[in-house]
Amino acid sequence: PQGPPVYVDLAYLPGSWSARTVDEEFFRRIRALCYVVSGDDHLKEGVLRPLLDALLAAKHHWGLDIQVTLIPTFDSLVMHEWYQETHERQQELGITVLGSNSTVAMQDETFPACKVEF
């Protein structure tokens, strides 16, 4: 149902098959300061570009000067291509893609990480 948008600090975008449900209408209704793109799997790669394009299309209609940070949790050729091809548009709309070269070590495991503060 139609209604006012919902504003949140952080929103996790669904992975796998559920990522197909994230479209322009999703980003018009769920407005976050940070969107986490998680789910490093082959299914996510197939729907990643339309998901990212939907964010750009919806953010154009927000009408507010809200900075948005996009936080991918995995390395992706699709993400790199989208970033390069739409970088100017991202800047116009106030969208920042956060990358991280930091690594966290816990017990016998290390993994990439980034810190987000509000």
Side-chain angles (χ1 to χ4, degrees):
Q2 289 295 326
V6 175
Y7 293 88
V8 297
D9 289 331
L10 181 73
Y12 282 86
L13 301 177
S16 297
W17 290 103
S18 298
R20 296 172 191 250
T21 64
V22 179
D23 58 7
E24 184 177 342
E25 183 62 22
F26 173 89
F27 289 110
R28 284 187 186 206
R29 305 273 318 257
I30 308 298
R31 299 179 182 186
L33 295 176
C34 296
Y35 290 102
V36 176
V37 183
S38 62
D40 184 11
D41 59 43
H42 69 282
L43 298 174
K44 185 68 159 222
E45 282 288 311
V47 297
L48 187 56
R49 181 63 191 242
L51 183 147
L52 297 170
D53 288 339
L55 172 61
L56 288 177
K59 180 73 167 69
H60 173 75
H61 296 285
W62 285 15
L64 301 171
D65 189 25
I66 298 174
Q67 288 294 118
V68 170
T69 302
L70 188 63
I71 306 169
T73 63
F74 59 97
D75 195 25
S76 161
L77 179 59
V78 173
M79 176 67 79
H80 286 278
E81 290 173 350
W82 176 83
Y83 179 83
Q84 293 296 324
E85 293 170 11
T86 65
H87 185 68
E88 187 175 304
R89 184 78 174 132
Q90 294 167 40
Q91 289 180 321
E92 291 170 5
L93 295 172
I95 297 173
T96 301
V97 178
L98 184 64
S100 175
N101 291 329
S102 299
T103 303
V104 173
M106 293 182 70
Q107 297 174 354
D108 297 331
E109 176 177 21
T110 61
F111 49 89
C114 66
K115 180 180 178 181
V116 179
E117 293 184 42
F118 296 97

